[in-house]
Amino acid sequence: MVRARQIPSGEGFVVKVEPSAISDVRRSLAGLGTVENLAGSDLLLLRVPDATSDPRSAWQRILDQVRLAQWVAPLLLDEGSHPHYPTGDVTVRFDHVPSDTALEQFAAAHGLRVRARNEFVSEQVSFTLAAPRGTYLPDLLQAIGGGTGVAAAWANTLSRYRRTHGGR
């Protein structure tokens, strides 16, 4: 199975916030860059003007400054540099259908909680982050993706697509 690459970007970050804290978080984020709502979600997008080649450092700086953020993740780019916005969930496709016990062990070992099994692909399971504030999503994906028994791992994302008309 071939999955699109998900490359962390230092120019944008997705921020999850409790609805009651959104005003305070927006004010805190405004000091770091421009903030917008991600349409159809309860997520904010922070665009940082001084994009860095080290998204991990920028991620840590945002967490340090915005204590009320539930989690922060860098914007992910595919091979064509198109942005994808993490939702906080991760999907793993295993080599074989895992037992419930094996899933719980896998989740505990990687700081995850089982969210749901895919009803159509038995080897595929979605997870949420057990400690979202302390999890740098690209590191987690790299650790999981390189693990024994894992065929693929990816961040679930919101994506914006453009319809193209070939030659029209």
Side-chain angles (χ1 to χ4, degrees), residues 63-151:
L63 283 176
D64 290 346
Q65 185 162 336
V66 186
R67 300 274 181 213
L68 292 175
Q70 291 179 309
W71 60 263
V72 176
L75 174 76
L76 299 171
L77 304 174
D78 62 21
E79 295 88 349
S81 295
H82 298 105
H84 301 272
Y85 310 94
T87 64
D89 290 339
V90 172
T91 296
V92 177
R93 181 169 291 184
F94 295 94
D95 291 334
H96 304 288
V97 178
S99 68
D100 289 343
T101 301
L103 266 185
E104 291 302 326
Q105 290 171 346
F106 178 87
H110 293 287
L112 300 168
R113 290 190 187 110
V114 175
R115 188 170 144 291
R117 286 181 180 261
N118 184 304
E119 67 179 294
F120 303 106
V121 181
S122 302
E123 300 85 4
Q124 195 164 297
V125 180
S126 63
F127 297 89
T128 59
L129 307 175
R133 244 187 98 77
T135 303
Y136 182 62
L137 190 59
D139 286 351
L140 173 66
L141 292 171
Q142 184 175 14
I144 292 172
T148 304
V150 173

Side-chain angles (χ1 to χ4, degrees), residues 10 21 25 41 43 51 54 64 74-75 86 95 132 140-141 164-165:
V25 171
S41 76
L43 303 172
D54 183 10
D64 290 346
L75 174 76
D95 291 334
L140 173 66
L141 292 171
T164 60
H165 299 282

Side-chain angles (χ1 to χ4, degrees), residues 3-9 11-15 38 43-45 47 71 73-88 137-138 141 154-162:
R3 291 283 314 159
R5 293 192 51 195
Q6 294 182 319
I7 305 158
S9 168
E11 63 190 41
F13 294 84
V14 177
V15 181
L38 281 174
L43 303 172
L44 298 174
L45 175 62
R47 293 193 186 277
W71 60 263
L75 174 76
L76 299 171
L77 304 174
D78 62 21
E79 295 88 349
S81 295
H82 298 105
H84 301 272
Y85 310 94
T87 64
L137 190 59
L141 292 171
W154 60 91
N156 294 357
T157 61
L158 300 173
S159 301
R160 296 178 181 162
Y161 296 98
R162 281 188 336 196

